[in-house]
Amino acid sequence: MKKKVLIVGGVAGGASAAARLRRLDENAEIVMFERGPYISFANCGLPYYVGGSIAERSKLVVQTPEAMNSRFNIDIRTESDVVSIDEVKKKVVVHSKERGQYEESYDALILSPGAKPIVPPLPGITSSKIYSLRNIPDVDKIKAKVTEQNTSSAVVIGGGFIGIEMAENLREAGIAVTLIEAGPQILAPFDQEMSNILAKELEEQQIQLIFSDRVEGFEETERGITVKLGSGKQLHADMVLLAIGVTPDTGFVKNTSIELGPRGHIVVNDHMRTNVPDVYAVGDAVEVVDFVNGSKTAVPLAGPANKQGRIAADNIGGIATTYKGTQGTSIIKVFGLTGAATGNNEKTLQRLNIPYKVAYVHPNSRASYYPGATPMTMKLLFNSDGKVLGAQAIGYDGVDKRIDSIATVIRFGGTVTDLTELELAYAPPYSSAKDPVNMVGYVAENIVTGLSDVFVVNDLANRDKHNSILVDVRSPIEYSNGYIEGAINIPVDELRGRVGELDKNKEIWVYCQVGLRGYTASRILGQLGYKVKNLSGGYKSYVINNFKPQQYKANTPSTPSSSSSSTTPSTEIVTLDACGLSCPGPLMQVKQQMDTLENGQMLKVTASDPGFYEDIKAWATMTSNSLVERTKRSDGVIEATLTKGNDAADLDPSGTTNQPIISDKNDTTMVVFSGELDKAIASFIIANGAASSGKKVTMFFTFWGLNIIRKPNKIKVEKGFMGKMFEKVMPRGSGKLPLSNLNMMGMGPKMIRSLMKSNNVLSLEQLIQAAQKQGVEMIACQMSMDLMGIHRDELIDGIDVAGVGYYLGQTEKANHNLFI
């Protein structure tokens, strides 16, 4: 007997079911209804079309109705909305753009309606400047808005996968982006300390983050739209992208007897059958079983939807296959970083009261001696028997294959010992002899077998400081560059000779940089009779855990730093690796290398010093060399290509020429070295006077002069030992500066300020504001900041950071160069 099967919805689940069913039954009558004009499109690729990674819109269409009908003989009806189901008469009611409203009968029915974006009932939510992303018509509207000439800023609401991908791609399109997340972190499948790594990457790519703040409404303005937050903040942008989550699109089944879960998902069994005979459901709209813990959940992912569509078709076709649950394996690109997760995270395990243990490792993606090795962070969750419950990994390279390996072990009920025994492909360009998957398995196995007792960063808050000792077993240099408060430093190589410094009656908590030396220290102390714990993941995990987003400030659009439109000429290029050097080290290396080249030869240099981006442009101009290309990679490394001499076409990424500038030397530059009130006042009086006379003024703040441009309030940032020492002796901001003479324990500055006020002389703070309004360029010395432990967040707004090369480039155009 010929079977008639109706499929409601295409894309992943519905289209997979249709194709599989036809391969199983050539005689079946298969009808697919799709509400929109496209039956199968790459919805996961939509954000990348906005950002330009996918250049051709046609690439988003995976399958057309015509092509699918030709190959599979399926009756495909687009722009046809199934509005109700009569499960008794086995009929559906369809509202069609072409045919109007009509009924269609079925022998079997597959529901694949998917999920739709959540749209909260907030004031102003109907504004035409608010967008959401579900399908190709949505992306067409967003793309059109982004490419408008006056679109320069956007607010993305929601830190889930779509929100993060859209924030990245809007930024790639040259839009200034602010992302708002109502919770304390982005990307819920990751635990917070892991998501912190990805949040930091967003910030470094100039996306501003606002956590733990809710949107309360919108208001259209003449020039854009205002987003009103519960905290009282108001954000102004040209557009808003709403990505706060999805809800199952199951409204059309609510008047049937089909069972729905608590959040509106269709309840199915392991054959993908609903409680109604001959009705199946697949995809984002169904409730599934969590493969790891067995509870009911919903996981809107394309991979599971495809598998479920195939299984539903199998059961209709007489093959009794089953769906064994979803483990939520997912992956996301965040500029240069990749984040991936599988199984359960800590939040889920805690909510379900499932006991678990944690292991962190920070291995390299490949053999460390092979060029291009990059670090990654991995987190493994497992129970006391060693069964793997979940994993998360973040890094620049090789993250996908590591999570895929662990996902496979989870699928087969594997343990941490299975991870240690996996024989994975190895060659130096691809991995290490001990693959990161093996390494995290070793660490976890040591915990399970009792060879290592560990603690995690959050345990530090509950440490009994009277009955325990915190020991940093790294080198003194590492310790001086930053340590956990309360720790004493005993390097692991000195530990055996210095155990007498430790009280055996107290518990010893040790840590190193990534956990390996800490484990060695714990084994030494444990076998000497000490009770000892090791910080899993070491100090690196501590730093990651303590990430805090920068304070919000108004966005200004700019071209993303990771892109460049310039083209490097095809000729032999000499390379120079200056990574790891601080200013002026990279410039010195560049000069030494350029001295060995002939005119017209090219040099490509990579450097990790942040100030090098501006320094190299200024240096090239000053030395009559040509800067051909200059980019910031997503991993923070700066790449610059130069030609010796200035014969080559010389464009920087903004498209402006970089030939030596013929100037009338009418500018003014000054080095502000002093941090004393009277000298600071003098420097800003001169700067304002020069700016008022039409001069371009550049002020270069170095060493004690940095105190003038520090914020008056204390900013919470991680500092090393020297940074903390400087913090104790340096004034914080212009309001705390001493006088060079007659300071009189602070009375002198008060007298000077009083005299200035009574004589209508602007205060130092007003002089600074006036200078900024007049366009005075204020540069903080990167090298001095590094040496003194001053973080960029501690500087007042409007300050740029660069090195001596940039400043010297400005002096070339100046007829006044002062040192104060």
Side-chain angles (χ1 to χ4, degrees):
M1 179 179 174
K2 189 174 182 180
K3 186 178 293 186
K4 183 177 181 180
V5 182
L6 304 185
I7 301 174
V8 181
V11 197
S16 294
R20 174 66 170 174
L21 193 60
R22 174 57 72 217
R23 287 192 288 264
L24 295 176
D25 188 348
E26 180 62 25
N27 295 316
E29 180 183 356
I30 305 170
V31 182
M32 181 190 294
F33 301 99
E34 172 55 47
R35 179 184 295 158
Y38 303 95
I39 59 159
S40 184
F41 58 91
N43 50 358
C44 295
L46 298 180
Y48 301 99
Y49 173 60
V50 173
S53 296
I54 298 174
E56 298 177 34
R57 180 181 178 278
S58 60
K59 300 290 187 183
L60 298 172
V61 179
V62 178
Q63 186 69 277
T64 64
E66 295 77 17
M68 196 162 185
N69 177 265
S70 175
R71 176 165 297 181
F72 296 107
N73 188 27
I74 295 170
D75 182 359
I76 297 172
R77 304 176 189 178
T78 57
E79 298 182 297
S80 298
D81 189 11
V82 175
V83 295
S84 66
I85 302 170
D86 186 336
E87 67 267 34
V88 177
K89 295 182 179 179
K90 287 192 169 183
K91 291 182 178 181
V92 300
V93 176
V94 185
H95 184 76
S96 169
K97 181 178 179 181
E98 180 181 345
R99 304 187 190 184
Q101 187 161 302
Y102 65 95
E103 291 183 344
E104 193 75 46
S105 63
Y106 65 84
D107 296 311
L109 176 64
I110 300 176
L111 305 178
S112 180
K116 59 184 178 181
I118 295 172
V119 181
L122 296 173
I125 193 68
T126 59
S127 169
S128 62
K129 294 173 182 175
I130 299 175
Y131 301 82
S132 59
L133 182 62
R134 184 189 186 189
N135 51 37
I136 290 182
D138 289 340
V139 83
D140 286 340
K141 294 175 185 176
I142 295 169
K143 185 77 169 180
K145 179 64 176 176
V146 167
T147 54
E148 285 181 5
Q149 189 173 2
N150 60 349
T151 301
S152 62
S153 60
V155 171
V156 175
I157 302 172
F161 282 82
I162 294 297
I164 298 303
E165 289 171 349
M166 281 303 301
E168 174 188 351
N169 282 281
L170 287 169
R171 189 78 194 97
E172 294 283 12
I175 305 293
V177 179
T178 298
L179 186 141
I180 304 168
E181 168 54 49
Q185 68 164 88
I186 58 171
L187 298 170
F190 296 87
D191 289 313
Q192 183 162 348
E193 78 284 6
M194 298 295 286
S195 73
N196 282 349
I197 305 171
L198 299 172
K200 187 172 184 292
E201 175 73 4
L202 291 173
E203 274 202 344
E204 289 179 352
Q205 298 296 330
Q206 301 172 21
I207 291 175
Q208 297 196 71
L209 304 177
I210 298 177
F211 289 140
S212 303
D213 207 346
R214 291 186 176 276
V215 175
E216 293 195 341
F218 307 90
E219 182 179 342
E220 275 204 37
T221 64
E222 186 177 340
R223 298 182 60 185
I225 186 167
T226 297
V227 183
K228 300 177 180 179
L229 304 183
S231 63
K233 291 188 181 79
Q234 293 195 357
L235 283 59
H236 306 282
D238 297 315
M239 62 181 293
V240 168
L241 193 288
L242 199 61
I244 61 176
V246 295
T247 186
D249 195 358
T250 54
F252 69 102
V253 304
K254 288 184 178 177
N255 293 325
T256 71
S257 56
I258 296 173
E259 183 183 357
L260 298 178
R263 293 188 293 162
H265 296 87
I266 301 171
V267 176
V268 294
N269 64 14
D270 59 357
H271 294 283
M272 307 312 298
R273 289 193 188 98
T274 70
N275 62 308
V276 173
D278 299 314
V279 178
Y280 298 75
V282 302
D284 295 354
V286 305
E287 187 179 81
V288 296
V289 172
D290 185 304
F291 181 82
V292 174
N293 62 58
S295 67
K296 293 288 187 179
T297 187
V299 184
L301 292 171
N306 275 289
K307 295 175 180 66
Q308 293 160 12
R310 179 186 175 94
I311 289 169
D314 280 354
N315 282 280
I316 291 171
I319 302 173
T321 55
T322 59
Y323 186 69
K324 298 177 178 61
T326 302
Q327 65 192 71
T329 305
S330 55
I331 192 166
I332 186 169
K333 171 185 174 294
V334 183
F335 293 98
L337 281 176
T338 298
T342 188
N344 287 176
N345 57 25
E346 281 199 74
K347 296 187 292 290
T348 300
L349 296 173
Q350 290 169 0
R351 176 171 53 82
L352 298 174
N353 294 314
I354 298 175
Y356 66 92
K357 297 180 182 294
V358 183
Y360 295 91
V361 293
H362 304 283
N364 283 321
S365 60
R366 61 188 68 166
S368 58
Y369 55 81
Y370 190 88
T374 56
M376 69 172 67
T377 293
M378 297 178 67
K379 178 179 184 177
L380 189 74
L381 299 161
F382 51 97
N383 66 18
S384 57
D385 295 326
K387 184 177 180 180
V388 182
L389 304 176
Q392 299 157 48
I394 297 173
Y396 291 99
D397 183 43
V399 168
D400 51 347
K401 67 177 181 177
R402 272 66 191 226
I403 282 296
D404 284 345
S405 297
I406 298 174
T408 304
V409 169
I410 291 175
R411 179 56 58 167
F412 291 103
T415 67
V416 298
T417 298
D418 293 318
L419 296 180
T420 70
E421 294 175 351
L422 286 179
E423 186 176 330
L424 302 171
Y426 160 63
Y430 304 103
S431 184
S432 300
K434 292 180 182 178
D435 189 88
V437 172
N438 301 137
M439 292 172 65
V440 76
Y442 292 135
V443 172
E445 189 179 53
N446 285 337
I447 295 171
V448 170
T449 59
L451 282 175
S452 178
D453 189 4
V454 299
F455 67 97
V456 295
V457 173
N458 290 337
D459 294 330
L460 286 165
N462 301 317
R463 180 173 71 91
D464 184 348
K465 297 180 182 179
H466 297 291
N467 295 305
S468 65
I469 303 172
L470 185 61
V471 182
D472 186 323
V473 299
R474 299 174 300 162
S475 68
I477 293 175
E478 291 174 286
Y479 179 79
S480 67
N481 284 334
Y483 57 89
I484 300 174
E485 185 176 356
I488 62 172
N489 181 216
I490 304 179
V492 64
D493 294 336
E494 301 176 14
L495 190 56
R496 291 182 179 87
R498 296 176 60 182
V499 290
E501 300 175 30
L502 302 175
D503 188 344
K504 266 194 176 180
N505 295 317
K506 294 186 177 182
E507 192 171 60
I508 312 301
W509 291 33
V510 300
Y511 71 89
C512 63
Q513 187 65 21
V514 296
L516 181 58
R517 284 172 290 173
Y519 170 63
T520 300
S522 72
R523 295 300 301 148
I524 293 171
L525 293 172
Q527 293 178 78
L528 292 175
Y530 289 84
K531 186 177 181 182
V532 58
K533 291 183 176 181
N534 177 35
L535 175 58
S536 187
Y539 186 74
K540 186 169 183 178
S541 289
Y542 175 79
V543 172
I544 291 169
N545 199 81
N546 286 284
F547 166 79
K548 294 291 185 294
Q550 296 179 8
Q551 187 176 2
Y552 170 78
K553 56 186 178 182
N555 267 320
T556 53
S558 61
T559 302
S561 57
S562 60
S563 64
S564 171
S565 59
S566 57
T567 304
T568 304
S570 57
T571 185
E572 185 178 354
I573 301 176
V574 177
T575 59
L576 171 64
D577 184 356
C579 290
L581 297 176
S582 297
C583 175
L587 287 183
M588 295 170 65
Q589 293 279 320
V590 169
K591 182 183 184 305
Q592 290 174 11
Q593 188 66 62
M594 290 291 275
D595 286 346
T596 68
L597 303 182
E598 301 291 334
N599 279 346
Q601 280 191 281
M602 300 183 72
L603 174 68
K604 182 173 183 179
V605 57
T606 55
S608 54
D609 175 48
F612 185 73
Y613 188 78
E614 294 296 339
D615 285 355
I616 192 61
K617 180 180 179 182
W619 182 88
T621 299
M622 187 171 53
T623 57
S624 297
N625 292 297
S626 299
L627 178 60
V628 179
E629 185 176 39
R630 178 184 60 158
T631 61
K632 283 184 183 176
R633 292 192 334 218
S634 56
D635 59 0
V637 172
I638 297 152
E639 296 179 342
T641 303
L642 304 101
T643 300
K644 186 164 184 177
N646 56 18
D647 296 332
D650 190 13
L651 295 176
D652 77 356
S654 66
T656 58
T657 61
N658 192 44
Q659 298 293 339
I661 298 171
I662 301 173
S663 172
D664 59 1
K665 289 185 174 288
N666 192 42
D667 297 348
T668 294
T669 56
M670 64 175 74
V671 176
V672 184
F673 177 87
S674 173
E676 294 165 329
L677 177 61
D678 43 347
K679 295 175 182 176
I681 292 170
S683 65
F684 275 97
I685 289 174
I686 295 169
N688 277 290
S692 298
S693 64
K695 293 179 181 291
K696 169 67 171 64
V697 181
T698 299
M699 302 177 76
F700 189 73
F701 295 86
T702 184
F703 286 98
W704 310 115
L706 291 169
N707 293 315
I708 302 170
I709 54 174
R710 292 177 72 198
K711 293 177 180 175
N713 53 312
K714 188 172 183 179
I715 305 298
K716 188 175 181 180
V717 293
E718 289 294 323
K719 294 195 177 216
F721 176 76
M722 292 306 298
K724 291 180 179 179
M725 292 297 293
F726 276 114
E727 182 68 21
K728 291 180 180 179
V729 299
M730 293 192 304
R732 190 181 296 114
S734 59
K736 298 291 182 68
L737 300 181
L739 280 179
S740 56
N741 293 298
L742 300 174
N743 189 52
M744 297 184 294
M745 300 181 68
M747 289 301 296
K750 292 180 180 179
M751 291 170 57
I752 289 293
R753 287 178 178 272
S754 177
L755 285 170
M756 292 171 68
K757 185 175 181 180
S758 63
N759 286 278
N760 293 319
V761 178
L762 295 179
S763 68
L764 175 56
E765 291 72 25
Q766 291 170 321
L767 287 168
I768 294 173
Q769 292 173 6
Q772 288 181 317
K773 287 181 180 179
Q774 292 199 85
V776 172
E777 185 178 33
M778 299 183 197
I779 305 295
C781 174
Q782 179 74 59
M783 180 271 293
S784 297
M785 290 173 65
D786 292 342
L787 291 179
M788 301 172 77
I790 296 176
H791 194 275
R792 185 166 190 157
D793 290 349
E794 296 179 82
L795 304 181
I796 61 177
D797 294 340
I799 303 297
D800 293 321
V801 177
V804 66
Y806 178 79
Y807 175 71
L808 292 176
Q810 298 302 95
T811 65
E812 285 291 298
K813 298 175 281 182
N815 62 357
H816 295 100
N817 184 33
L818 308 177
F819 187 95
I820 299 177

